[in-house]
Amino acid sequence: MAWPLPLLLLLLLATANAEIDDPPPPPPAPARWPDQFHAVLFTNLTNVSTASTGPPLRLTDLYYDWPRRRNLNLVRHQLSADPLYDVEWDNGTTFYFDTATCRTEHFPVGVLRPGWLSDGGAVYLGRQSTGGIECHVWGKAGFIVYYEDVVTRRPVRWNFIDVTGIEQFVMSFEVGVVLEDDAQWQAPAHCFPDDDDEGNTEDDGHFTTTSSMEAAKLLRKLAGAAAF
Ligand SMILES: *[C@@H]1O[C@H](CO)[C@@H](O)[C@H](O)[C@H]1NC(C)=O
Ligand SMILES: *[C@@H]1O[C@H](CO)[C@@H](O)[C@H](O)[C@H]1NC(C)=O
Ligand SMILES: *[C@@H]1O[C@H](CO)[C@@H](O)[C@H](O)[C@H]1NC(C)=O
């Protein structure tokens, strides 16, 4: 049977009104980081034109261990045999070292909290596919753009808003995996030289591996920016 036109119109209007009256759904919220995980990150300093930033491609093992309030980035430059360690403690001390050099820095913040993104301040930027994975995207504090798998809610990628154009891609993400070997967390002897030893430089800004650590340092700063 044919609908009388006015009735059809009423129906349409009713539907339209229902849509207007429904409050829009809240934007998706990012997942909290698991308390412990191991991630392998592919890093690209996409704005390597800055020249001073060192080799642009790195592979980073990130061991995040919130219960023990520590965080380790093990950074390998492309084809480099000597990995760089970045060991962060909740008292604000970070040790950056390889087999020959060490630098100690003190930050006014501890280890990044699991809720650094999920607990507030994230601005939803919509959906985007990256690496063939459909993601929700958020920004925070003009500092980071963060991609999370729509289905699994795992982190997929983040870009720092920084002149080096650092982009990190999560290649694997193992929840609950902990680096138990305490020797890996222990800063080596050359981080604790005698007073007359030149081995350790503290906050002088000229340490050769500084630029290698930028991604980790940016995340650490974010811990401060997150401020809760
Ligand atoms: C790294 O980023 C640069 C600049 O966007 C791009 O041209 C290059 O292909 C990237 N390298 C890799 C291995 O992804
Ligand atoms: C912070 O903790 C680490 C690991 O226990 C330690 O090596 C470092 O000396 C501490 N830093 C300060 C300033 O106490
Ligand atoms: C890339 O680096 C150059 C040189 O340092 C800088 O002027 C430019 O702003 C950077 N690009 C971005 C997108 O930050």
Side-chain angles (χ1 to χ4, degrees), residues 69 88-95 106-111 220:
R69 300 293 193 276
E88 302 173 3
W89 299 98
D90 208 39
N91 60 14
T93 299
T94 295
F95 297 101
H106 302 286
F107 292 82
V109 289
V111 170
R220 181 114 213 201

Side-chain angles (χ1 to χ4, degrees), residues 42-48 56-57 165 167 169:
F42 170 72
T43 302
N44 187 356
L45 272 61
T46 60
N47 193 16
V48 77
L57 302 183
E167 299 181 356
F169 302 82

Side-chain angles (χ1 to χ4, degrees), residues 32-222:
R32 181 186 160 91
W33 269 12
D35 280 0
Q36 293 171 316
F37 65 84
H38 168 225
V40 176
L41 310 173
F42 170 72
T43 302
N44 187 356
L45 272 61
T46 60
N47 193 16
V48 77
S49 64
T50 52
S52 60
T53 50
L57 302 183
R58 300 100 194 258
L59 213 52
T60 302
D61 280 276
L62 169 60
Y63 288 95
Y64 180 77
D65 193 344
W66 176 248
R68 277 175 258 192
R69 300 293 193 276
R70 60 188 191 179
N71 194 28
L72 187 152
N73 285 273
L74 184 52
V75 183
R76 292 182 186 82
H77 287 147
Q78 187 171 20
L79 297 176
S80 166
D82 195 9
L84 305 164
Y85 285 74
D86 159 2
V87 178
E88 302 173 3
W89 299 98
D90 208 39
N91 60 14
T93 299
T94 295
F95 297 101
Y96 306 98
F97 58 88
D98 57 17
T99 55
T101 55
C102 181
R103 174 190 170 94
T104 307
E105 279 202 42
H106 302 286
F107 292 82
V109 289
V111 170
L112 200 63
R113 290 162 182 252
W116 67 273
L117 189 63
S118 61
D119 288 357
V123 177
Y124 186 58
L125 302 175
R127 284 170 83 122
Q128 199 182 314
S129 173
T130 179
I133 301 166
E134 184 68 13
C135 292
H136 290 303
V137 186
W138 294 269
K140 179 153 187 179
F143 220 85
I144 193 168
V145 178
Y146 184 93
Y147 299 71
E148 180 187 284
D149 189 330
V150 163
V151 179
T152 66
R153 308 197 69 197
R154 284 183 298 202
V156 172
R157 166 185 181 176
W158 50 82
N159 301 342
F160 291 103
I161 313 301
D162 174 78
V163 286
T164 58
I166 294 186
E167 299 181 356
Q168 296 197 294
F169 302 82
V170 181
M171 306 306 289
S172 68
F173 192 74
E174 302 170 281
V175 174
V177 170
V178 177
L179 183 61
E180 296 286 1
D181 182 1
D182 279 335
Q184 296 284 306
W185 294 88
Q186 178 59 51
H190 61 271
C191 289
F192 309 97
D194 300 334
D195 285 346
D196 56 347
D197 194 319
E198 298 291 310
N200 188 42
T201 53
E202 187 138 337
D203 300 328
D204 67 356
H206 299 297
F207 185 62
T208 47
T209 62
T210 302
S211 62
S212 321
M213 298 305 177
E214 273 178 61
K217 281 175 82 169
L218 284 166
L219 259 187
R220 181 114 213 201
K221 278 189 200 154
L222 194 63

